[in-house]
Amino acid sequence: MTADRATTADEAELLQRLKAFEGRPAATAGRAKDPVNEPMIRHWCEAMGDTNPAYTGPDAIAPPTMLQAWTMGGLSGHTGRSTAYDELFALLDAAGCTSVVATDCEQEYLRPLRPGDTVTFDAVIESVSPRKTTRLGTGHFVTTRMDVHVNGEPAGTHRFRILKYAPAAKRPPAPKAPDAPKPQRPRPVINRDNQGFWDGVREHKLLIQRCTACATLRFPWLPGCNACSSPDWDTVEAGGAGTVFSYVVMHHPPFPAFDPPYAVALVELAEGVRIIANIAGVPYDKVRIGLPVRLEFLRVDDTLELPVFRGEAG
């Protein structure tokens, strides 16, 4: 048997063993550690900046996207979890798929959850894909389906998909021609709804829309007020002070004109609105939530200038 045929046979045998996990329970008769409750709903809405009145008051419901939050076991985990998921991961580890990355989730909402509801759930390993090759490496996608119930009644379904993979070997960067032009950063899409914002940037002003009917500030720019629906607005200029509300460090995938790793932050301005921007003046691994930042403008090239935020010393 040649090496190629041996490899194919080994892969087929591994896939058969992986497929045997499909349909096996990952958790049975799980129970939420807390009933649906107002404090968790409030914290969620504050974190998301969601002021929908449906989530407050005597007839409040929980935001549907909180579906998974009620099923999380915290650091101590849940009882009722089966060994199947750990056994599956051990098999993938032994096959060299030692890295993992979450790829996506899908949720279906069947009924609203209300404060006082007790959530129960069952989870099953729904599918394991054949071997797939990605930019990250080669491995298998594993999808887990969780069925959520309240008082025995179906409330929703949560599918969570991960890639368990063997990291690809790093390729040396391709040599660049000495006279090769530097790749351009992507151009912002400018239209009639946000033209005024980019006009302000050219004048080194960060302009925030203000509804002239209810005085609500909004960012990014929208054609109408998301609080009272009025189409009338003017602008106020941001003072430039802010703090890092949340952030991510971009490692992969690489994009032309960007040099990873670099930090991208959601900055909360002193005026109360939030903007996504790069953080300057601070190493990517030193960016933290709560970091004070100050607005400045970065000349990217001859035709593009962008608002960025420089981290301030504590």
Side-chain angles (χ1 to χ4, degrees), residues 168-194:
K170 290 186 177 181
R171 299 178 182 177
K176 296 180 181 179
D179 56 348
K182 183 179 179 180
Q184 274 196 338
R185 284 181 65 151
R187 307 288 102 172
V189 176
I190 301 176
N191 53 39
R192 63 181 182 180
D193 291 329
N194 65 11

Side-chain angles (χ1 to χ4, degrees), residues 135-153:
R135 288 287 298 270
L136 288 176
T138 300
H140 299 264
F141 290 93
V142 179
T143 303
T144 306
R145 188 190 77 243
M146 177 179 289
D147 297 313
V148 179
H149 297 81
V150 172
N151 300 325
E153 178 184 351

Side-chain angles (χ1 to χ4, degrees), residues 5-71:
R5 289 182 180 176
T7 300
T8 301
D10 290 343
E11 290 180 0
E13 180 185 358
L14 174 61
L15 181 59
Q16 184 177 11
R17 295 175 66 190
L18 294 174
K19 286 290 188 180
F21 284 89
E22 293 184 342
R24 290 184 60 181
T28 304
R31 188 180 181 88
K33 292 194 169 183
D34 298 287
V36 177
N37 61 84
E38 294 177 0
M40 284 181 65
I41 294 172
R42 176 170 55 81
H43 291 318
W44 178 280
C45 290
E46 288 179 356
M48 298 297 175
D50 194 336
T51 58
N52 192 315
Y55 308 142
T56 60
D59 298 320
I61 63 172
T65 49
M66 286 188 75
L67 183 68
Q68 187 191 19
W70 309 111
T71 68

